[in-house]
Amino acid sequence: MMLVSSNIFRCHRLIQNPVRLLLRSWHKEPLPVSWKKPEIGWTKLNFDGSCKGRGGKGSIGGIIRNHKAEFLLGYAESIGRTTSTIAELSALRRGLELVLENGWTDIWLEGDARTLIDVIVHRRQVKCAELQRYVSHINLIIPELNSCFLTHIYREGNRAADMFAQIGHQLEKPRIWWHVPPNEVVRIVEEDAEGKMILRRR
């Protein structure tokens, strides 16, 4: 009850002082964001889904790197009409399938869809049956790994996976890259390896 009362008070104050709110937002410090390498012996999967246009044309993409930030594998695919949430889940599921196929067992999973990550981490039920099917499948794959954790990263730190998802829109059939990334992703992979910081406006 105390928390609710406090929130109401803050809202009332902001409504009375819209200029103060604008100035506070304007002067917020940008947040530095960067991609982080996994620990030695670990492999990192960054994944992303994309959905464009009124028809909801979807695609997925992801990238797998080792503790030296070396490119191991990338994937991209057009998945037809869908929603952004299904695209994100599909990108994670496909990435996990490739992880298993290649024998990587200690995995750091990272994406920029915070709500989706919260659903997976806390094993929450979702109302949509199609969404729940994806979530259930992902939750069946994860226990097959030796060690695994899932984290959220802002889009500025997920640029490589996002680029693979954008490439997916242009493909007629699924594609996988081993050891050498496509030209569109090379610069991003190099900048990630160097620890480049990108400022995110808040």
Side-chain angles (χ1 to χ4, degrees):
M1 182 63 71
M2 183 69 71
L3 178 62
V4 173
S5 298
S6 175
N7 284 338
I8 291 173
F9 174 69
R10 284 204 303 271
C11 285
H12 180 63
R13 247 187 3 182
L14 292 177
I15 291 169
Q16 287 184 321
N17 298 278
V19 175
R20 183 184 300 174
L21 174 61
L22 177 62
L23 289 174
R24 284 176 62 188
S25 298
W26 182 265
H27 289 293
K28 275 187 178 179
E29 294 277 336
L31 178 70
V33 179
S34 66
W35 180 84
K36 304 294 184 186
K37 301 175 187 177
E39 296 290 328
I40 294 175
W42 282 69
T43 306
K44 187 172 184 182
L45 163 64
N46 283 83
F47 62 92
D48 197 19
S50 175
C51 193
K52 290 185 175 181
R54 291 184 180 181
K57 181 184 177 184
S59 68
I60 63 171
I63 176 172
I64 300 174
R65 289 169 277 192
N66 63 17
H67 67 276
K68 295 180 181 179
E70 294 170 336
F71 178 85
L72 301 178
L73 182 152
Y75 62 96
E77 180 180 347
S78 175
I79 58 172
R81 186 173 181 178
T82 189
T83 66
S84 58
T85 305
I86 292 291
E88 293 281 355
L89 286 168
S90 181
L92 173 55
R93 184 179 69 175
R94 182 62 183 132
L96 282 169
E97 290 170 348
L98 290 168
V99 161
L100 288 181
E101 289 173 15
N102 285 274
W104 295 308
T105 57
D106 298 306
I107 306 296
W108 178 0
L109 309 171
E110 190 170 71
D112 55 39
R114 188 189 294 274
T115 302
L116 178 154
I117 290 169
D118 190 51
V119 167
I120 300 295
V121 169
H122 298 288
R123 291 181 169 271
R124 294 182 175 166
Q125 295 290 314
V126 293
K127 293 181 179 179
C128 173
E130 185 178 6
L131 285 178
Q132 188 57 53
R133 282 196 298 273
Y134 277 90
V135 171
S136 297
H137 190 194
I138 289 166
N139 284 331
L140 285 174
I141 296 175
I142 288 176
E144 296 187 44
L145 302 170
N146 182 49
S147 300
C148 174
F149 66 96
L150 177 60
T151 60
H152 170 264
I153 183 72
Y154 289 112
R155 182 166 294 277
E156 289 82 357
N158 204 39
R159 295 181 300 148
D162 174 68
M163 182 58 72
F164 272 107
Q166 298 308 313
I167 292 171
H169 283 293
Q170 306 163 20
L171 300 177
E172 294 183 0
K173 57 183 179 180
R175 184 166 177 187
I176 297 173
W177 293 259
W178 282 277
H179 307 302
V180 180
N183 292 334
E184 299 95 320
V185 185
V186 169
R187 180 179 57 82
I188 299 173
V189 170
E190 291 173 349
E191 290 176 349
D192 282 350
E194 294 165 359
K196 179 177 179 178
M197 291 277 188
I198 298 178
L199 295 180
R200 174 183 175 85
R201 296 290 175 183
R202 292 192 287 182

